[in-house]
């Protein structure tokens, strides 16, 4: 069974950085693509970015609002996907979900981790 | 502002049907057969209920069905049940990104 668990959320000041983790089990990286999706309080879902599988060399794509500030990476030895978030602003506040991804759909979701930005 | 347009709310009585629309463009919904629908209960993570326009993942009741016409996708929930009360989001592949609708709150009267 595929399972995902995010961690690393917390409260930071504007301009600071945070690294989120997504521990996955039930599959090996290379079999599935993965994405990050966020949800601001009381708002809808927003795609953050995706990392492709091994045949696609783990290439990454990012949404315009985070491109150049956020970076996805993978530690296969720890079965963990990371999201490094730099220069955080109040617009980045929300719950961050990691998901598996195939054929345009986010199949399995983690419970999410909350990111708060405040001075 | 979301890339895809959904009505903010929809409602129906138990046993009735409700249909939610999701309007996009030729760059997303109209350009690919990669439309998905998600159900989200309060305080929970979203759950995939429809992928590739009309495919139901294992375990999703056949009361949920999806369709697409040109640049608009639709989700129909037939035989409404109390547990169907939730927020529903559409999404579409759009080249090197995924776009979402703003969500529709379904109320079971």
């Amino acid at each position: 069974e595929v399972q995902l668990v995010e961690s690393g959320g917390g409260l930071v000041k504007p301009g600071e950085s945070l690294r989120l983790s997504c521990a996955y089990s039930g599959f090996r990286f290379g079999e599935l693509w993965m994405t990050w999706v966020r949800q601001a309080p009381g708002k809808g879902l927003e795609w953050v970015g995706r990392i492709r599988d091994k045949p696609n060399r783990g290439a990454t794509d990012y949404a315009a609002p985070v491109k150049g500030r956020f970076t996805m990476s993978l530690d296969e030895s720890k079965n963990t996907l990371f999201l490094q978030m730099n220069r955080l602003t109040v617009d980045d506040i929300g719950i961050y979900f990691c998901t598996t991804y195939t054929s345009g759909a986010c199949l399995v979701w983690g419970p999410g981790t909350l990111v708060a930005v405040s001075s | 502002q979301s890339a895809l347009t959904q009505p903010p709310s929809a409602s129906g009585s138990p046993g009735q049907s409700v249909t939610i629309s999701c309007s996009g463009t030729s760059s997303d919904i109209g350009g690919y057969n990669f439309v998905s629908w998600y159900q989200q209960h309060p305080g929970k993570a979203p759950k995939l209920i429809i992928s590739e326009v009309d495919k139901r993942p294992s375990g999703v009741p056949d009361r949920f069905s999806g369709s697409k016409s040109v640049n608009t996708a639709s989700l129909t929930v037939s035989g409404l049940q109390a547990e169907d009360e939730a927020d529903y989001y559409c999404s579409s592949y759009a080249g090197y990104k995924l776009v979402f609708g703003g969500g529709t709150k379904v109320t079971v009267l």
Side-chain angles (χ1 to χ4, degrees), chain A residues 33 35 37 39 42-48 50 52 61-63 97 101-112, chain B residues 2 33-36 38 40 43-48 50-52 89 91-93 95-103:
Chain A
W33 296 25
T35 79
V37 176
Q39 186 170 35
K43 302 295 185 182
L45 302 173
E46 180 185 18
W47 179 74
V48 172
R50 70 180 180 189
R52 307 183 194 198
D61 300 291
Y62 299 94
F97 300 98
Y101 174 87
T102 186
S103 299
C106 300
L107 283 73
V108 178
W109 296 63
Chain B
S2 302
N33 286 323
F34 291 138
V35 176
S36 304
Y38 303 89
Q40 186 179 33
K44 301 292 187 182
K47 173 189 173 185
L48 177 68
I50 295 286
S51 66
E52 296 181 74
Y89 295 91
S91 77
S92 175
Y93 180 75
Y96 286 95
K97 60 182 179 180
L98 202 60
V99 291
F100 284 94

Side-chain angles (χ1 to χ4, degrees), chain A residues 4-7 20-24 34 36 79-82 98:
Chain A
L4 307 170
V5 179
E6 305 89 342
S7 61
L20 306 183
S21 301
C22 172
Y24 59 86
M34 296 182 74
W36 287 94
N79 283 3
T80 301
L81 172 69
F82 298 103
C98 71

Side-chain angles (χ1 to χ4, degrees), chain B residues 1-18:
Chain B
Q1 187 170 353
S2 302
L4 305 179
T5 302
Q6 296 180 236
S9 63
S11 62
S13 299
Q16 289 186 332
S17 294
V18 64

Side-chain angles (χ1 to χ4, degrees), chain B residues 40-64:
Chain B
Q40 186 179 33
H41 288 107
K44 301 292 187 182
K47 173 189 173 185
L48 177 68
I49 56 173
I50 295 286
S51 66
E52 296 181 74
V53 177
D54 58 6
K55 293 181 169 59
R56 275 188 314 277
S58 174
V60 175
D62 59 7
R63 303 184 292 102
F64 294 91

Side-chain angles (χ1 to χ4, degrees), chain A residues 72-107:
Chain A
M72 282 180 288
S73 62
L74 195 73
D75 185 335
E76 290 184 67
S77 67
K78 297 180 180 177
N79 283 3
T80 301
L81 172 69
F82 298 103
L83 180 66
Q84 177 67 41
M85 306 186 296
N86 298 329
R87 304 197 306 276
L88 284 162
T89 76
V90 294
D91 291 335
D92 298 314
I93 292 172
I95 299 174
Y96 283 69
F97 300 98
C98 71
T99 90
T100 60
Y101 174 87
T102 186
S103 299
C106 300
L107 283 73

